Amino acid sequence: MSRPTGPAPGSGQTLSVMDFGADPTGTRDTTASLRQALDRAKQEPGAALVFPAGRYILSDPMAVALMNDAMAGKLGRNPQHTVFKPYFPHAKGLDFRNAHDLTVQAADVTLVCDGWFEPLSIRDCSGVTITGLTLDYRR
């Protein structure tokens, strides 16, 4: 799989999630690698974070536990009455908080979410562009 090259706007820094150990085959959890790559990219305003085409599994123990509890009926017949309330504790997949002038290049990329969580949390950011990304859930 080829990955886009060339300078990002601003810093000119181009980072690939592959350099952090991400797995685009969809066969293993790659959450830690993706989080590490994003944290590094957030330190470089103007950088590009590149995802080579593929399927990346994004998981979190808190999110899996929430999903399992809901599916087992532990949150009532309709879990939305419990879960969708302000400040209900929840997991975040990739936290973009405080990212500035960051471009995410993710053509033909699917994040496969394992568990119920906020796949992308984008708060207190400016100039964040995400292209080509598809979100899907295992269940």
Side-chain angles (χ1 to χ4, degrees):
M1 288 181 218
S2 64
R3 67 179 189 227
T5 58
S11 75
Q13 183 77 4
T14 298
L15 303 166
S16 171
V17 297
M18 300 299 287
D19 295 334
F20 295 85
D23 176 18
T25 66
T27 58
R28 66 178 176 85
D29 181 4
T30 193
T31 305
S33 298
L34 297 180
R35 287 176 175 168
Q36 185 180 15
L38 176 58
D39 287 346
R40 177 70 177 95
K42 287 172 23 179
Q43 296 173 18
E44 297 287 336
L49 181 60
V50 177
F51 284 69
R55 294 174 64 82
Y56 298 82
I57 296 176
L58 192 60
S59 185
D60 187 280
M62 183 178 174
V64 171
L66 173 62
M67 178 186 69
N68 289 340
D69 285 351
M71 298 303 239
K74 293 180 181 178
L75 302 176
R77 278 184 62 108
N78 189 348
Q80 76 179 9
H81 297 302
T82 301
V83 175
F84 295 119
K85 291 187 176 185
Y87 309 110
F88 181 84
H90 68 282
K92 295 178 178 105
L94 298 178
D95 191 352
F96 283 80
R97 184 180 292 263
N98 296 320
H100 301 285
D101 301 319
L102 174 62
T103 300
V104 176
Q105 299 170 0
D108 297 318
V109 169
T110 299
L111 287 182
V112 181
C113 302
D114 184 22
W116 290 359
F117 58 101
E118 182 180 2
L120 306 176
S121 182
I122 303 173
R123 291 180 167 191
D124 303 320
C125 297
S126 64
V128 173
T129 302
I130 302 171
T131 59
L133 185 64
T134 298
L135 299 176
D136 196 2
Y137 282 81
R138 277 187 164 175
R139 186 170 183 169

